[in-house]
Amino acid sequence: MKIKMVHVTNFRKIIDAEINMEDNITVIAGANNSGKTSLVELFNAVFGNTTGRFRKDDIPAEECYKWSEQVYPVFATAFQSGKKQEEILEDIFAQIASVENPEDVIIIPPVTLKVQVDYDKDQDDIRCFADYIMEFSPENTSFYFIYQYGINNQVFRKVVDDAYEKLSDRFQKLTGDTDKDQRMIRMIKEMLVDLYTSACEETAQFTDHAYMNAVKMEISEFKRLFHYQHIVAGRNLADEGSDKSGLLGRDMIFIAEQEEHWKTLMHELPDKIVQPIQGLHIQEKVREASVESLNKAINEISKTNGGQAGNIAIDMDVSEDAVSSLLRNITHAKFQTGDYYLGESSQGLGYSNLIYIHLQLAKYKKAFDPLIVNFFVIEEPESHMHPQMQNVFAQYLFRYYQNEGQMQGMLTTHSHEVVRTARIPQLRVLRQITPLKCQLFDLHKFHDTLQTDENRDLLDFYDWFYTINFPDIVFADKIILYEGDTERMLIKNILQLPEFEALRNQYVSFVQVGGAYGYKYCPIIDFLGIKSVIITDLDYHKAALTVRKVLASHSTNSTIKQFADCIFSIPSPTVRTLYAWKAQFGPIIKNNTIYLAFQDKDDGFARTLEEAMLAKRYQVTVLEKQANDVWKKRRNDDDLKFVIPRGAECNIRSIVSHTSESKTDFMYSVILGNLSESMLPNYIKEALLWLMG
């Protein structure tokens, strides 16, 4: 019995998200504030044992605002009508919650969770689900449920009725001057939202496959269908106020208690302890000692109660239950190192957290119930773990539960290492699209689109390079894809300039793609909708040493050729074609998401980054020859590292060619000489400004 799909609507910033669940582990990856915790808290509220976990803030703020804007005029008109209370309320609810015309009801869309549970008709026992079968087709192997948190209009009527005097008082304070009344109107709208949400309640239904023909069921009835465990990755281990000393020990004892040999020991041991205590007459000795020790106190008591002190003594209740309780209190987890036993607190938080998660999963597995849905959530297991430990743990977790056919779980993470260890089909990426909206991207669906003959090479490419670059893409707000180290060095340095502060303060990922492979990243970037820049070289033929030959030359850059073919249907564009396109239409941008940046005519006919930088610094084209003495003076004045070929004169093309083996040294000299800004090529600056904007 497994959860196949969960469809969330209108929960906080998760407005609409369909989560297709893997049979083993589904990974929800996202940066901070992307909605991961919200999703976990929704699961806790729906599948957890308790009710009443929903609150006002769980309803999307935008929907609350829209509703208050709609209903405020209705309330204002009614309260200003001069009618009696009953008439006012009837006028209001006739417009916003009409029983006769339910299609005209003005409501905030409810928090909704649609759940599809699949079963194997050959292996699964569905007796606990038998009452929820709505479609008796032999092909149907699913159950469908709806869990909601929404308005109960009858309760809402009562709530408004109870708050009538407060509402009336606030409307009476309005003067009619919109500007002066602005603050009071805002308070009234907030009050209306508070009243509305206080009248919301949780409901559960089972339905057909279209989530229609819903039949109400008790909340407790729904929750009994799920064995759910939320594992919080040992945050309490780091809590200064928590009792760390026995946290792991209690979990280990719980697991041990499920085993038969432990049960036998715990059954026999108390009696073996009780017998010596009784044989040594310890109880009698304690009583005698207590009477002697308390004699003075007893006499004093007798003076105040008429001499009726009675016989008071300290006694021992030596029972098997008492001894069992003692054994629990004195049994602790220890770390054995050779002949030494170390307490729990001797280990670091990362190691303790690792053990804690394992123990929680082991406890969960012990309580596995084959008649219902067993589902666990681990929230950010990387807490307190260094990257290598994260990697090893994630590998173990995925491998173990891949082989545990009955176990199904979800893991949330913002760890590069956990994402790196997962497989692409396991990933679901949550991204904050606007301050009020998060969006979920199902990479299993993306992976499925690659399962064709024409995309076979692309699928192989992603499988090979997934662990290198994909984690950086998943967590990014913006992406800069670059060819090599020199580009990265320059851009990192340039982003420190004041004009790029806004970009610097965003989550920008740098992904090295070489000159030929930038285009292969476009499908995943398009899928995730991440604004990106590819910075690459024009790379026309080196032998083109005149303007005429340059313009007639074809770009050999695979990414440029792919973009040209996609955007203006020219698979092998000349430099003239590329220059003309940019002059007429502006930069080459794919799907309003990916900006392709390469050298333009304004970069002095440069074909590489280094050529463009030198052309910018010295205001010459890369083809123009000048005396070597001039170049030597420029090099010395700027303290730059580049090679000047032998001879009387040379051009930038020749200089860069001779410097090809030491391009990194050249870039170091640019940065250390504070020349980055003055040498920044136009095509890179324009791309970064677009990315920032």
Side-chain angles (χ1 to χ4, degrees):
M1 209 84 68
K2 301 284 182 68
I3 297 176
K4 179 65 175 178
M5 185 278 300
V6 174
H7 191 173
V8 181
T9 53
N10 301 310
F11 182 74
R12 299 182 187 173
K13 292 189 286 187
I14 306 175
I15 308 304
D16 189 354
E18 183 176 290
I19 311 169
N20 294 294
M21 306 298 297
E22 299 296 309
D23 283 344
N24 41 70
I25 300 287
T26 304
V27 179
I28 308 292
N32 291 332
N33 210 36
S34 61
K36 301 189 304 298
T37 299
S38 292
L39 187 61
V40 172
E41 291 182 358
L42 175 63
F43 279 32
N44 291 344
V46 174
F47 299 117
N49 292 326
T50 60
T51 59
R53 292 190 178 185
F54 288 94
R55 56 188 186 275
K56 173 188 173 183
D57 292 341
D58 294 333
I59 298 174
E62 192 172 14
E63 294 295 342
C64 291
Y65 175 81
K66 288 180 184 176
W67 179 85
S68 68
E69 289 290 299
Q70 285 183 284
V71 302
Y72 174 79
V74 176
F75 276 82
T77 301
F79 273 93
Q80 293 165 3
S81 66
K83 297 180 179 179
K84 295 180 179 180
Q85 178 174 339
E86 290 184 5
E87 294 175 310
I88 289 173
L89 294 178
E90 283 302 318
D91 288 348
I92 291 171
F93 283 97
Q95 295 185 67
I96 70 171
S98 174
V99 177
E100 291 78 16
N101 300 299
E103 67 277 2
D104 297 330
V105 170
I106 304 174
I107 63 169
I108 300 174
V111 175
T112 301
L113 194 80
K114 295 178 180 177
V115 184
Q116 178 183 341
V117 175
D118 282 7
Y119 65 93
D120 187 323
K121 57 185 178 182
D122 297 322
Q123 297 183 19
D124 290 330
D125 186 335
I126 63 169
R127 72 181 77 171
C128 293
F129 285 79
D131 292 338
Y132 314 111
I133 297 176
M134 195 167 277
E135 299 172 359
F136 292 94
S137 167
E139 288 76 30
N140 179 52
T141 56
S142 302
F143 299 96
Y144 305 91
F145 303 92
I146 298 176
Y147 197 102
Q148 288 187 318
Y149 177 69
I151 192 67
N152 182 322
N153 278 316
Q154 290 183 333
V155 176
F156 187 38
R157 285 172 178 263
K158 185 179 184 309
V159 167
V160 174
D161 190 24
D162 293 342
Y164 180 86
E165 295 298 329
K166 291 181 180 179
L167 281 169
S168 179
D169 178 66
R170 284 161 174 74
F171 277 107
Q172 288 175 13
K173 291 179 179 177
L174 296 175
T175 65
D177 187 324
T178 304
D179 293 334
K180 291 182 179 179
D181 291 342
Q182 188 174 5
R183 184 176 179 184
M184 181 57 68
I185 291 172
R186 186 170 64 250
M187 290 176 59
I188 293 173
K189 289 178 179 178
E190 289 175 357
M191 183 179 177
L192 291 174
V193 172
D194 288 338
L195 294 174
Y196 184 97
T197 54
S198 70
C200 289
E201 62 182 25
E202 298 171 58
T203 59
Q205 304 162 310
F206 64 96
T207 74
D208 58 21
H209 73 280
Y211 296 96
M212 304 292 288
N213 300 313
V215 178
K216 189 173 181 180
M217 58 191 298
E218 294 295 327
I219 297 292
S220 58
E221 193 181 348
F222 172 86
K223 291 179 180 289
R224 280 197 297 269
L225 300 175
F226 299 88
H227 170 218
Y228 173 77
Q229 176 76 29
H230 174 212
I231 301 172
V232 198
R235 289 180 182 173
N236 45 0
L237 289 167
D239 183 4
E240 293 296 329
S242 67
D243 178 17
K244 304 180 190 65
S245 62
L247 187 64
L248 300 181
R250 288 192 293 271
D251 287 339
M252 295 181 74
I253 292 169
F254 174 87
I255 296 168
E257 286 177 338
Q258 313 305 310
E259 303 297 334
E260 285 303 318
H261 61 276
W262 180 275
K263 292 178 181 177
T264 301
L265 177 63
M266 289 297 106
H267 178 73
E268 296 175 350
L269 197 56
D271 186 58
K272 291 181 179 180
I273 295 174
V274 170
Q275 287 182 34
I277 293 175
Q278 293 174 341
L280 294 170
H281 306 289
I282 292 175
Q283 286 175 287
E284 288 82 354
K285 293 177 181 178
V286 169
R287 292 190 193 110
E288 291 171 4
S290 70
V291 170
E292 185 175 341
S293 301
L294 297 173
N295 185 55
K296 184 177 179 181
I298 292 169
N299 289 334
E300 292 297 323
I301 294 170
S302 69
K303 295 176 182 179
T304 62
N305 71 348
Q308 303 295 320
N311 296 318
I312 300 177
I314 294 176
D315 196 10
M316 295 176 65
D317 293 323
V318 186
S319 64
E320 290 189 14
D321 287 343
V323 174
S324 295
S325 179
L326 171 65
L327 290 172
R328 288 174 180 271
N329 289 331
I330 65 175
T331 304
H332 302 284
K334 298 283 186 177
F335 295 96
Q336 184 177 359
T337 304
D339 295 331
Y340 299 96
Y341 290 85
L342 306 177
E344 293 180 33
S345 59
S346 67
Q347 305 301 310
L349 286 173
Y351 188 57
S352 296
N353 183 52
L354 181 67
I355 296 172
Y356 174 79
I357 295 172
H358 277 293
L359 291 174
Q360 292 295 307
L361 288 169
K363 285 174 62 179
Y364 174 81
K365 188 177 178 181
K366 290 287 184 183
F368 182 87
D369 188 343
L371 299 179
I372 59 177
V373 175
N374 297 268
F375 183 71
F376 64 85
V377 170
I378 305 176
E379 189 175 2
E380 298 180 356
E382 62 267 18
S383 297
H384 312 301
M385 296 184 192
H386 61 80
Q388 288 81 3
M389 183 181 282
Q390 294 175 24
N391 185 280
V392 171
F393 172 74
Q395 287 187 54
Y396 166 82
L397 189 70
F398 295 142
R399 185 172 59 250
Y400 183 82
Y401 288 101
Q402 183 77 31
N403 299 326
E404 283 285 333
Q406 294 179 310
M407 306 292 285
Q408 185 184 29
M410 187 180 82
L411 183 154
T412 69
T413 186
H414 50 36
S415 163
H416 281 62
E417 293 302 320
V418 175
V419 170
R420 203 184 313 276
T421 307
R423 296 174 299 106
I424 294 178
Q426 287 180 287
L427 279 176
R428 312 291 183 265
V429 178
L430 267 171
R431 296 179 48 78
Q432 181 170 285
I433 305 302
T434 72
L436 297 175
K437 183 179 180 181
C438 298
Q439 188 172 345
L440 185 133
F441 299 87
D442 187 338
L443 264 66
H444 197 141
K445 290 183 177 179
F446 171 75
H447 196 262
D448 286 345
T449 65
L450 305 179
Q451 304 285 343
T452 62
D453 290 339
E454 69 175 303
N455 287 325
R456 176 53 56 185
D457 290 345
L458 192 60
L459 183 62
D460 292 341
F461 175 84
Y462 285 156
D463 286 341
W464 273 105
F465 290 94
Y466 168 77
T467 59
I468 299 174
N469 287 331
F470 268 50
D472 294 321
I473 293 174
V474 164
F475 297 110
D477 288 337
K478 307 283 180 65
I479 303 174
I480 297 174
L481 300 99
Y482 62 95
E483 283 200 12
D485 292 336
T486 53
E487 284 88 353
R488 188 176 190 272
M489 291 168 65
L490 176 65
I491 296 166
K492 281 276 192 178
N493 187 249
I494 286 297
L495 290 184
Q496 302 309 309
L497 296 175
E499 66 181 305
F500 295 112
E501 182 181 4
L503 185 59
R504 187 169 67 247
N505 292 333
Q506 297 178 53
Y507 302 138
V508 180
S509 286
F510 291 78
V511 180
Q512 186 171 355
V513 297
Y517 299 100
Y519 194 81
K520 290 185 179 293
Y521 288 87
C522 290
I524 185 65
I525 292 172
D526 277 338
F527 184 81
L528 295 173
I530 306 174
K531 194 174 182 180
S532 306
V533 164
I534 300 176
I535 296 175
T536 194
D537 287 332
L538 183 54
D539 284 340
Y540 58 80
H541 296 291
K542 290 182 181 180
L545 298 176
T546 66
V547 172
R548 183 180 63 81
K549 289 182 178 180
V550 167
L551 294 176
S553 183
H554 292 262
S555 173
T556 60
N557 186 296
S558 296
T559 296
I560 292 176
K561 291 163 71 174
Q562 290 278 6
F563 265 82
D565 190 24
C566 176
I567 294 175
F568 41 91
S569 302
I570 301 176
S572 183
T574 64
V575 173
R576 179 183 283 106
T577 301
L578 294 169
Y579 284 175
W581 174 275
K582 292 181 72 174
Q584 185 175 357
F585 301 106
I588 299 174
I589 302 174
K590 185 175 182 291
N591 297 336
N592 296 317
T593 303
I594 306 173
Y595 182 118
L596 181 64
F598 55 88
Q599 295 80 20
D600 199 356
K601 184 178 180 180
D602 294 337
D603 297 298
F605 300 102
R607 64 183 297 277
T608 67
L609 169 65
E610 291 76 19
E611 288 184 2
M613 292 177 70
L614 290 170
K616 175 72 177 296
R617 177 64 178 171
Y618 303 119
Q619 295 297 300
V620 295
T621 72
V622 302
L623 306 174
E624 182 180 344
K625 289 187 176 182
Q626 294 185 323
N628 279 10
D629 289 343
V630 173
W631 287 111
K632 289 176 181 177
K633 186 176 186 309
R634 289 168 173 170
R635 183 179 63 182
N636 293 336
D637 289 346
D638 288 335
D639 197 20
L640 288 173
K641 304 291 185 184
F642 59 77
V643 179
I644 301 171
R646 293 179 179 180
E649 60 181 17
C650 63
N651 57 21
I652 291 175
R653 173 69 45 78
S654 179
I655 289 172
V656 172
S657 176
H658 282 76
T659 311
S660 61
E661 298 298 322
S662 55
K663 291 194 295 182
T664 303
D665 291 339
F666 167 75
M667 193 58 69
Y668 266 107
S669 67
V670 170
I671 294 171
L672 293 174
N674 294 316
L675 297 173
S676 299
E677 185 174 8
S678 64
M679 298 182 73
L680 180 65
N682 295 330
Y683 73 97
I684 294 181
K685 184 174 182 178
E686 291 169 1
L688 294 178
L689 289 172
W690 176 87
L691 189 66
M692 182 171 65

